[in-house]
């Protein structure tokens, strides 16, 4: 136990010694507070703790729409964009050097020559990095949770689903960096590989989405029928699905939060969407779009990403176990 | 358990890429000694130490360390190690490094605090202990390196070029530390190129060359073969005298008669013979090879490195 704490303590020391850590932490708090600064008064929306006011007849303290609006900012923007993109990139930049630093000649020797199994050493180090990300996401969620409670009286514990979802998403990118680090010991290369594979995942998953759209969207009927001698669109979708299955699904994971968070048993935004479309604002989500969003079960998205994690991490661990330093 | 804390046979290591760093090394290290491990660059010294500390996996290795098979993790809690070109986290303070290593060895928090203070004092780093590693000079880092190698009260301490970058006074202090370790009953295993220093403190040595062990033993034993007495004289020797001296075991060259492997008491008769022949004796001297001569004569004269496949 002492050994595990020591490894975690060392990772903590390494991370907090970096400026980037404090910058990321500062930004996280800043964004969360920005969210908390949004409020509602009888005539509309107030920003920056009431310093700016936007009059709005639909979204105000009097209307139920305010809670949907406020929650939607969290589930549809803050989580996928801030947590799911920017903070993952920032976290990746901060924690990627942990493993290459650890593998440096003259440094790794000390750790590896101690009475502790290499696998334990490796996995603890990895967990330390995840813990660091978890702490940041948790802090963010806590601030947002309190903000939602105070602003719209929704004490929705479901928003904490963001932590495991984000952690899995982050881990599925980070494990690529770690595997690269075991092989090359290079920070830059690790980071590049991680971003590259992330990009590849996005491309493959978008291709799958596109293929699904082409194969099943009723609006594509005409296009499908005019195509001559082409390959069966459903087949194309099956192939793209097969290729994209073993890839990490960061975007889709973060989007899962939308399904988890409900307001009074209703999906966030559905009320708002319906209301807006009734008045001719915005477009009501087509049946197909809704169906498309749910074409994969949560288990599929979670499971395939988790499997990817386990395989990549397992390989990295296996190589680390056998490596001569 | 045998008298030998390290007792390995037939140790082979071929790195990926085909470098044969070790070729059938058999080595015994007696308990409680300072053991010097020498060899030219690339001889495989560090490789052997890394195998013993489980950093490198041997291609083949039989035998034991502290009574356990090589690579047994638990045994390593009784082993201290200072790697070659050690680099410790720059973001940690000297004291933190020592305690970090103590933690990795599983030493309890309270014990590691006491140990750290004691060891930092021992290596003369008490005043600097609360500064970051990044601000240390090379020699200071090396001192911290020694301290961390001792933090788990090891029975064997491996030091791979411990005096690398340490100033002369520091080296003297380090020798004292090594001697102190021996007094405490620890076995100290030192890789070094500084033969003069090793000669001062080592009980036994082993010399490696190109992945093979060429000699092993106490310095006294190893240099005994070269022990000789030289008698210098002035003037010329008659041929009659020369024959007599050869019969008595003396070898003669340029104004010097050399007698191998004899005690001074055993050569008095030669002196008598010379004096009887009215030869002027200018000096009588007992000569012994030093470690450097031994080293040079043991290792092959060409090149460095392991053996390429
Ligand atoms: N990680 C490694 N991968 C491949 N080859 C290696 C590795 N480490 C060492 N070698 C090779 O093994 C041989 C022995 O190296 P080693 O470091 O054991 O020598 P050494 O006796 O400690 O030399 P020095 O006195 O220069 O420290 C060398 O030829 C070296 O090139
Ligand atoms: Mg070496």
């Amino acid at each position: 136990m002492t050994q595990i704490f020591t490894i975690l303590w060392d990772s903590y020391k390494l991370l907090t010694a970096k400026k980037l850590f404090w910058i990321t932490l500062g930004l996280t708090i800043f964004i969360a507070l920005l969210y908390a600064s949004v409020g509602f008064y009888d005539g509309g929306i107030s920003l920056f703790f009431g310093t700016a006011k936007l009059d709005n007849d639909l979204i105000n303290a009097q209307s139920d729409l305010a809670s949907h609006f406020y929650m939607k900012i969290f589930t549809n923007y803050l989580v996928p964009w801030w947590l799911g993109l920017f903070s993952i990139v920032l976290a990746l930049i901060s924690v990627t050097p942990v493993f290459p630093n650890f593998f440096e000649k003259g440094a790794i020797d000390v750790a590896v020559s101690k009475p502790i199994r290499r696998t334990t050493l490796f996995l603890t180090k990895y967990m330390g990095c995840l813990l660091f990300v978890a702490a940041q996401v948790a802090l963010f969620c806590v601030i947002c949770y309190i903000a939602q409670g105070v602003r719209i009286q929704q004490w929705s514990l479901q928003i904490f689903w963001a932590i495991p979802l984000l952690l899995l998403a982050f881990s599925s990118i980070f494990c690529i960096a770690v595997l690269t680090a075991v092989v090359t010991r290079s920070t830059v290369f690790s980071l590049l590989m991680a971003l590259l594979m992330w990009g590849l995942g996005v491309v493959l998953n978008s291709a799958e989405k596109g293929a699904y759209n082409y194969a099943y969207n009723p609006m594509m009927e005409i296009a499908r029928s005019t195509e001559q001698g082409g390959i069966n669109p459903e087949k194309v979708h099956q192939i793209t699905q097969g290729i994209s299955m073993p890839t990490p699904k960061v975007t889709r994971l973060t989007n899962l939060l939308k399904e988890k968070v409900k307001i009074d048993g209703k999906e966030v935004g559905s009320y708002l969407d319906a209301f807006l479309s009734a008045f001719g604002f915005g477009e009501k989500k087509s049946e197909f779009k809704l169906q498309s969003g749910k074409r994969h079960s949560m288990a599929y998205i979670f499971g395939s990403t988790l499997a990817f994690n386990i395989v990549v991490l397992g390989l990295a661990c296996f190589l680390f176990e056998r490596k001569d330093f | 358990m045998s008298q030998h804390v390290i007792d390995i046979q037939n140790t082979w290591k071929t790195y990926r890429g085909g470098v044969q760093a070790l070729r059938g090394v058999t080595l015994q290290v007696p308990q409680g000694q300072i053991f010097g491990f020498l060899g030219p660059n690339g001889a495989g010294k560090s490789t052997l130490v890394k195998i013993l500390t489980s950093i490198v996996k041997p291609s083949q290795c039989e035998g034991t360390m502290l009574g356990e098979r090589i690579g047994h993790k638990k045994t390593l809690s009784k082993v201290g190690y200072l790697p070659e070109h050690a680099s410790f986290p720059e973001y940690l303070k000297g004291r933190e490094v020592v305690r970090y290593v103590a933690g990795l060895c599983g030493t309890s928090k309270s014990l590691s605090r006491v140990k750290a203070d004691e060891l930092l004092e021992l290596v003369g780093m008490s005043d600097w202990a609360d500064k970051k590693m990044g601000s240390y000079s090379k020699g200071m880092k090396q001192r911290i390196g020694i301290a961390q190698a001792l933090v788990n009260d090891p029975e064997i301490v491996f030091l791979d070029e411990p005096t690398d970058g340490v100033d002369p006074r520091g080296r003297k202090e380090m020798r004292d530390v090594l001697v102190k370790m021996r007094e405490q009953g620890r076995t100290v295993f030192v890789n070094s190129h500084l033969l003069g220093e090793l000669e001062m403190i080592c009980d036994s040595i082993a010399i490696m060359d190109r992945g093979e062990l060429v000699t092993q033993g106490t310095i006294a034993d190893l240099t005994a073969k070269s022990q000789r007495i030289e008698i210098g004289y002035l003037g010329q020797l008659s041929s009659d005298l020369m024959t007599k001296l050869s019969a008595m075991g003396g070898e003669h060259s340029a104004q010097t008669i050399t007698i191998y492997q004899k005690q001074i008491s055993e050569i008095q008769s030669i002196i008598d013979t010379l004096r009887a022949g009215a030869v002027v004796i200018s000096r009588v001297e007992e000569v012994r090879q030093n470690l450097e001569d031994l080293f040079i004569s043991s290792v092959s004269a060409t090149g460095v490195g392991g053996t390429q496949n």
Side-chain angles (χ1 to χ4, degrees), chain A residues 126-258:
Chain A
Y126 193 81
M127 287 304 156
C129 296
L130 290 193
L131 225 56
F132 154 82
V133 178
Q136 299 235 356
V137 177
L139 177 68
F140 186 81
C141 288
V142 166
I143 299 177
C144 293
Y145 174 72
I146 295 171
Q148 288 162 359
V150 172
R151 298 293 189 189
I152 58 173
Q153 288 75 48
Q154 289 289 331
W155 299 94
S156 173
L157 283 171
Q158 271 86 5
I159 70 157
F160 289 101
W161 268 101
I163 302 174
L165 290 176
L166 255 295
L167 221 51
L168 182 61
F170 173 77
S171 176
S172 65
I173 304 300
F174 183 51
C175 66
I176 302 165
V178 171
L179 175 61
T180 315
V182 173
V183 179
T184 66
R185 305 187 191 200
S186 150
T187 304
V188 177
F189 204 60
S190 300
L191 194 60
L192 278 178
M193 267 316 264
L195 293 176
L196 211 71
M197 293 299 285
W198 187 0
L200 189 69
V202 170
V203 170
L204 291 178
N205 284 297
S206 312
E208 186 270 336
K209 189 178 176 186
Y212 181 85
N213 188 34
Y214 187 71
Y216 300 108
N217 193 344
M219 312 264 280
M220 288 287 170
E221 192 66 62
I222 302 158
R224 279 201 297 271
S225 59
T226 52
E227 181 140 345
Q228 313 228 317
I231 328 147
N232 180 357
E234 285 169 27
K235 190 107 199 161
V236 173
H237 174 244
Q238 269 172 14
I239 294 169
T240 51
Q241 169 149 305
I243 297 174
S244 67
M245 182 157 96
T247 61
K249 298 171 186 60
V250 176
T251 324
R252 304 212 55 194
L253 271 172
T254 51
N255 279 332
L256 281 180
L257 192 70
K258 289 179 207 165

Side-chain angles (χ1 to χ4, degrees), chain A residues 55-72:
Chain A
D55 289 337
N56 193 309
D57 292 338
L58 290 175
I59 301 169
N60 54 43
Q62 301 295 321
S63 107
D64 279 349
L65 285 182
S67 17
H68 281 264
F69 173 76
Y70 199 65
M71 197 56 105
K72 198 166 183 168

Side-chain angles (χ1 to χ4, degrees), chain B residues 40-47 84-85 160-161 191 193:
Chain B
N41 294 130
K45 305 180 295 293
S46 300
T47 301
E84 181 176 35
H85 312 303
D160 202 341
E161 305 190 18
N191 279 7
H193 293 295

Side-chain angles (χ1 to χ4, degrees), chain A residues 2-4 6-7 9-11 13-15 17 101-102 104-118 121 125 320-325, chain B residues 13 15-16 50 53-57 73-74 76-77 79-81 83-89 91-92 96 99-101 103-109 148:
Chain A
T2 314
Q3 292 168 318
I4 291 182
T6 305
I7 299 164
W9 172 83
D10 173 58
S11 303
K13 279 282 184 183
L14 166 63
L15 291 168
N101 275 358
F102 180 55
E104 237 168 58
K105 268 205 185 328
I108 183 69
D109 308 58
V110 175
V112 173
S113 67
K114 295 295 169 265
I116 176 167
R117 284 177 46 214
R118 281 197 190 189
L121 197 61
K125 202 91 187 163
F320 176 68
E321 183 73 34
R322 294 165 41 104
K323 200 171 170 83
D324 287 335
F325 287 98
Chain B
K13 175 65 195 179
Y15 280 108
R16 273 200 303 166
K50 285 180 176 184
T53 48
S54 87
I55 297 164
V56 163
K57 303 252 150 43
K73 274 287 181 189
K74 273 246 166 66
L76 292 172
S77 61
V79 171
Y81 173 49
E84 181 176 35
H85 312 303
S87 90
F88 298 102
Y91 49 85
L92 292 184
E96 290 174 334
R99 298 198 52 189
Y100 165 65
V101 174
L104 285 181
C105 293
T107 311
S108 76
K109 227 175 163 178
Q148 63 80 29

Side-chain angles (χ1 to χ4, degrees), chain B residues 28-260:
Chain B
Q28 275 91 34
V29 179
Q31 204 235 319
Q33 292 200 347
I34 299 182
F35 187 87
F37 200 48
L38 330 177
N41 294 130
K45 305 180 295 293
S46 300
T47 301
L48 187 75
V49 170
K50 285 180 176 184
I51 285 176
L52 294 174
T53 48
S54 87
I55 297 164
V56 163
K57 303 252 150 43
S59 308
Q60 187 187 335
C61 181
E62 294 151 21
T64 58
M65 177 167 71
L66 294 171
E68 295 283 353
R69 68 179 166 79
I70 305 304
H72 183 250
K73 274 287 181 189
K74 273 246 166 66
T75 311
L76 292 172
S77 61
K78 295 183 260 176
V79 171
Y81 173 49
L82 169 65
E84 181 176 35
H85 312 303
S87 90
F88 298 102
E90 306 261 291
Y91 49 85
L92 292 184
K93 296 171 184 149
R95 184 190 307 280
E96 290 174 334
V97 167
V98 178
R99 298 198 52 189
Y100 165 65
V101 174
L104 285 181
C105 293
T107 311
S108 76
K109 227 175 163 178
S110 48
L111 183 61
S112 91
R113 185 176 307 130
V114 179
K115 276 306 270 184
D117 287 343
E118 190 185 308
L119 288 166
L120 288 163
E121 180 73 48
L122 179 72
V123 296
M125 287 294 290
S126 291
D127 295 343
W128 283 82
D130 292 310
K131 299 255 182 334
K132 292 253 160 77
M133 285 304 279
S135 67
Y136 288 172
S137 72
K138 193 172 171 190
M140 292 162 96
K141 287 179 187 162
Q142 205 67 3
R143 284 162 188 254
I144 293 292
I146 300 273
Q148 63 80 29
L150 290 173
V151 75
N152 54 336
D153 254 328
E155 290 179 30
I156 308 180
V157 189
F158 291 100
L159 304 172
D160 202 341
E161 305 190 18
T163 47
D164 188 18
V166 179
D167 61 31
R169 206 191 63 207
R171 290 215 291 269
K172 164 87 178 73
E173 287 169 11
M174 245 171 230
R175 286 201 297 276
D176 295 342
V177 171
L178 298 201
V179 170
K180 206 180 246 169
M181 290 186 213
R182 173 173 60 192
E183 281 165 7
Q184 292 166 345
R186 306 181 209 282
T187 307
V188 185
F189 190 112
V190 198
N191 279 7
S192 177
H193 293 295
L194 301 170
L195 303 178
E197 299 193 345
L198 286 181
E199 197 162 18
M200 282 185 243
I201 53 167
C202 282
D203 303 295
S204 357
I205 59 155
I207 300 181
M208 292 264 305
D209 188 25
R210 300 170 171 234
E212 292 178 64
L213 204 69
V214 284
T215 8
Q216 180 177 2
T218 64
I219 294 183
D221 284 347
L222 292 176
T223 54
K225 274 181 237 137
S226 68
Q227 187 271 340
R228 61 191 187 269
I229 292 162
E230 291 181 358
I231 304 170
Y233 62 88
L234 303 177
Q236 293 289 318
L237 294 184
S238 67
S239 56
D240 181 33
L241 208 49
M242 280 207 223
T243 338
K244 265 191 197 161
L245 286 173
S246 305
M248 297 170 94
E251 283 173 26
H252 159 259
S253 67
Q255 308 277 290
T256 309
I257 295 153
T258 311
I259 308 102
Y260 283 97

Side-chain angles (χ1 to χ4, degrees), chain A residues 272-297:
Chain A
L272 183 67
D273 290 337
F275 195 89
L276 288 177
S277 59
F279 283 85
F281 296 103
E283 62 162 322
K284 187 175 181 323
K285 267 196 181 161
S286 73
E287 272 307 308
F288 175 74
K289 233 180 163 180
L290 285 173
Q291 178 198 336
S292 163
K294 290 177 181 158
R295 71 189 183 279
H296 292 133
S297 66

